[in-house]
Amino acid sequence: MTFPSLGLLSQSVLSGLFLGGMYGLIGLGLGLSWGLLGQINLTHFGFVFLSAYLCYHLTMVWGVDPLLTLGLLVPAFFAVGVVMQWALARFRVSTFNSLLVTFGLTVMIEALIQKIWTADFRKLQTGYGEEKFSFLGLYAPLPELLTLTVSAAAAGGIWLLMRYTDLGKAMRAMAEDAPIAAAFGVNARALALLLSGSCVALAAIAGVFFALSFTLTPTQIFSWVGVVFAAVMMGGLGNPLGPLLAGLVIGVSEALAMAVFSPSWAPIVSFSLLIVLLLFRPAHR
Amino acid sequence: MLEVRGLRVSYGAAPALSDLDLDVGAGELVGVVGPNGAGKTTLINTLAGLIAPASGRIGLNGTDLARLPSHAFCAAGVAIVPESRRLFSAMTVRENLELGSYLPRAKAERARSLESVIALFPALASRLGTRAGSLSGGQQQMVAIGRALMARPSLLLLDEPSLGLAPAVVETMFAAVRRINAAGVAILLVEQNIGMAMELASRAYVLEEGRVVLQGQAAELMGRPEIRKAYLGLE
């Protein structure tokens, strides 16, 4: 163990923040559907990757600007989320079973991606990837900067919605006592469809920014599950700011662990953090 | 105003209410009493849309609610103060009250309704920003009643508002019920505290094993010793 220079440390913290932004963006929809709908939606990761591959395809084959693909992917994935919630409600899938069902769906999405785009590494080549800013000797690539900004804006925006609008209050009320919320006129079924659609749309957004920053390969889907789950659980289920804040903490600790010790330390650090937090945090709700 | 005819509710094969008829006139305060397990809470919950009846009619101001989804009951003019209050405990008192006025018609009156709830329960004025789950039992009951009033109901369903409260708080609660009724809101009141319920109500139904076994003017029922003894458990 050699202690790194201040410059290297600051660069590590910065890239940790960027990585944390990605954790937060992926975790946002996952945590909302878990906390408010009682569904542990593993398909969320499949949707993120499917969206990333579709963004890659639209950009590389059809020449669409990657950010413009959001205009197509967000509404399409919203519709998928609505259909999925309709089916889960129709067959009364419990929280635990939702974990199994959505795991199965994720494996199917992985196979589909493998079939269409093969297991080869794919990297989106765009002008965005070349752009980078540097200040105070630190270096910030545009895609990562965009990811962090969008992640913060989405989490903040949804937090405001949940806190200050009647729709948000109705969703929180529904999460706590759906029958009583319904007795005051909340149409729980419609809200669940809206919420599920929004969560899958958030997966689509995460996918586009994922494609901008990361090299794609289908088997990677499952390597993101652990750390994003950790971020969601640390941040508190159903709290829109939680996954981002926890994601940033995890991202920075991982980056520091990599700089100070070695890259293989990163997962040990994030899961130790999760375990310590779960042990010592007062029970939520 | 409320006209219940032939209401049947069952939990699986077990009937909870059978062939129940019940009326509440506009602005009336009607009591429902009876032993534990008689079906009082089932009745209130069915009238609020929390339980779907197997058959029968729930007429309110001319519409039959029995076949409507639960979120349609509130719009028709019903609001419930459920057994054990069931507040949204992670939300603030203000948010709980606001949720009572979720529907457009009630939302339009939200500021005025909030004022009148605070006038009814001044203790809530300083607690609006507090998490509902951290309030005392009495204050939680005030929020539960306030939340229902925020919906601007024509019929208020009250399930055991005195449950688990200290006697002094029970007095406050019943005074509030009287004031709400005096303002023109019809009330269906389920109570274990039979003395109090009969004192407030103009008419009452006695439920046993899911059936109405007795009904009449509250004062008249209370005035007949054999009824007091056999049905109301009073000496």
Side-chain angles (χ1 to χ4, degrees), chain B residues 70-81:
Chain B
S70 46
H71 63 85
F73 279 59
C74 190
V78 190
I80 184 173
V81 179

Side-chain angles (χ1 to χ4, degrees), chain B residues 187-198:
Chain B
I187 296 176
L188 187 68
L189 170 70
V190 160
E191 253 305 332
Q192 294 276 2
N193 189 335
I194 291 171
M196 281 286 203
M198 297 304 252

Side-chain angles (χ1 to χ4, degrees), chain A residues 166 169 172 176-177 182-183, chain B residues 71 74 86 89-90 95 98 110:
Chain A
D166 274 15
K169 288 170 203 161
R172 284 187 287 149
E176 190 171 338
D177 191 335
Chain B
H71 63 85
C74 190
R86 289 171 75 171
S89 58
E95 287 172 336
E98 284 172 348
R110 183 175 283 174

Side-chain angles (χ1 to χ4, degrees), chain A residues 115-127:
Chain A
K115 178 112 184 80
I116 299 175
W117 290 284
T118 76
D120 292 348
F121 288 97
R122 305 275 173 180
K123 180 76 184 92
L124 190 61
Q125 308 291 342
T126 63

Side-chain angles (χ1 to χ4, degrees), chain B residues 86-102:
Chain B
R86 289 171 75 171
L87 295 181
F88 304 114
S89 58
M91 294 165 64
T92 65
V93 169
R94 182 188 290 277
E95 287 172 336
N96 270 273
L97 295 175
E98 284 172 348
L99 203 102
S101 57
Y102 175 72

Side-chain angles (χ1 to χ4, degrees), chain B residues 15 19 35 38 103 132 136 162 170 173-174 188 224:
Chain B
D19 284 317
L103 292 174
S136 70
S162 73
V170 172
M173 228 47 81
F174 280 109
L188 187 68
R224 286 164 56 189

